Amino acid sequence: MKRLLLGVFVLSCSTGLLAQSAADGEMALGDGFAAKKQWAQAAEHYQKAVAADPASVKAKALLGAALVRAGEERVGFESLKQVAQLRAAGMDGFEVCKVLGHELLDDESKLNDAIEALFYAYTINADDDQVARELGIAHSRHDHTTDAIAIWKK
């Protein structure tokens, strides 16, 4: 009986490790496509990573960022919002939105997305100077002067 229980325990542990290993492999493939700015292909691999390890906050964050970059903003932001809600160890939702907002800030066609990501980060931590500054910049570039001033006054 002890051998059977030990066997079940070892099998369940190794299944978890296999899922994590498969997720890591898919994330590495996705990273390769992301480095080449092939966002749709990167998103495919990040989606496979999420399927292999649904508890992976990192895979969900990478999927969300790749989807936004691939032009699927709504789906991407939903993935990022799930990450923010999980707030697991490692890459939490605040950092994901902060980084994504920062990356989108210089792309005039993505200012609405930058504002949404930075605003979400701002609602999590309004004391972060970089987020407040960049949210104000995004608002001012989008001709939302009143919103920019309100953010900068805080």
Side-chain angles (χ1 to χ4, degrees), residues 14-131:
S14 64
T15 303
L17 291 174
L18 289 174
Q20 185 178 1
S21 177
D24 289 344
E26 290 296 338
M27 282 190 284
L29 290 170
D31 291 345
F33 284 107
K36 296 184 252 180
K37 300 187 187 292
Q38 296 174 340
W39 302 111
Q41 293 88 341
E44 286 178 32
H45 288 285
Y46 295 143
Q47 182 64 53
K48 290 178 183 178
V50 170
D53 186 4
S56 173
V57 175
K58 183 177 180 181
K60 288 179 183 177
L62 292 169
L63 173 62
L67 287 169
V68 169
R69 290 288 182 104
E72 297 182 42
E73 286 90 359
R74 293 293 146 223
V75 177
F77 278 116
E78 282 306 311
S79 180
L80 292 172
K81 286 176 185 177
Q82 289 174 7
V83 170
Q85 290 167 352
L86 292 174
R87 302 208 35 147
M91 184 179 255
D92 67 17
F94 169 76
E95 285 298 321
V96 170
C97 290
K98 178 179 176 178
V99 168
L100 181 62
H102 176 78
E103 289 182 13
L104 296 174
L105 189 59
D106 292 328
D107 186 344
E108 291 294 321
S109 68
K110 300 281 186 187
L111 275 179
N112 283 333
D113 299 327
I115 289 170
E116 187 172 348
L118 290 166
F119 181 76
Y120 200 72
Y122 186 78
T123 61
I124 295 170
N125 182 2
D127 294 328
D128 187 286
D129 291 336
Q130 180 185 347
V131 169

